[in-house]
Amino acid sequence: QVQLVESGGGLVQAGDSLRLSCAASGQTFSNYAMGWFRQAPGKEREFVIAISWSGKSTLYADSAKGRFTISRDNVKNTVYLQMNSLKPEDTAVYYCAASRSGLGRSVSSYNYWGQGTQVTVSS
């Protein structure tokens, strides 16, 4: 089992930056690829960005390219999502997730999920 707890969400204005954190506990953190997903009201959960267990490989959704970056600290058992130039359409609940099978874009690729943190971007 892996327990994931997100933090860092909040209300910001368009153009601002925000950094989300996801702290993991339980099984060995470095065994898992980590991803961030988001879900807006009335929409399906969608892939945002992911990082391999080593941190050497990343995967981006088109919406994240050029604005979002992901990093991880395998000593602190934490993964980070740095979001810059935020837009109102980035408003959603952001979830981190852990995958035993490596990088992936689909919800089904991930085995463990956090409870989510709300990000609201005002125009």
Side-chain angles (χ1 to χ4, degrees):
Q1 287 280 343
V2 176
Q3 292 78 42
L4 302 171
V5 179
E6 302 96 335
S7 61
L11 172 63
V12 297
Q13 293 187 332
D16 285 351
S17 298
L18 203 59
R19 188 176 83 155
L20 307 183
S21 300
C22 174
S25 61
Q27 294 187 2
T28 306
F29 177 68
S30 58
N31 286 347
Y32 293 84
M34 298 297 297
W36 286 94
F37 288 73
R38 66 187 184 186
Q39 189 166 17
K43 296 188 176 181
E44 293 188 353
R45 192 168 299 189
E46 66 174 5
F47 171 76
V48 177
I49 198 169
I51 189 167
S52 63
W53 67 270
S54 66
K56 292 182 179 180
S57 298
T58 53
L59 200 60
Y60 290 78
D62 287 344
S63 60
K65 289 178 181 177
R67 299 190 301 128
F68 295 2
T69 57
I70 188 171
S71 61
R72 66 188 295 161
D73 185 331
N74 286 346
V75 174
K76 295 182 178 180
N77 292 347
T78 303
V79 62
Y80 304 97
L81 173 61
Q82 178 67 43
M83 303 186 291
N84 298 327
S85 302
L86 283 162
K87 305 174 182 179
E89 51 263 44
D90 294 318
T91 295
V93 176
Y94 283 72
Y95 298 89
C96 73
S99 170
R100 287 192 295 262
S101 57
L103 291 176
R105 297 176 182 271
S106 65
V107 169
S108 61
S109 298
Y110 292 80
N111 307 100
Y112 302 102
W113 294 82
Q115 83 289 348
T117 186
Q118 176 71 47
V119 172
T120 304
V121 184
S122 64
S123 57

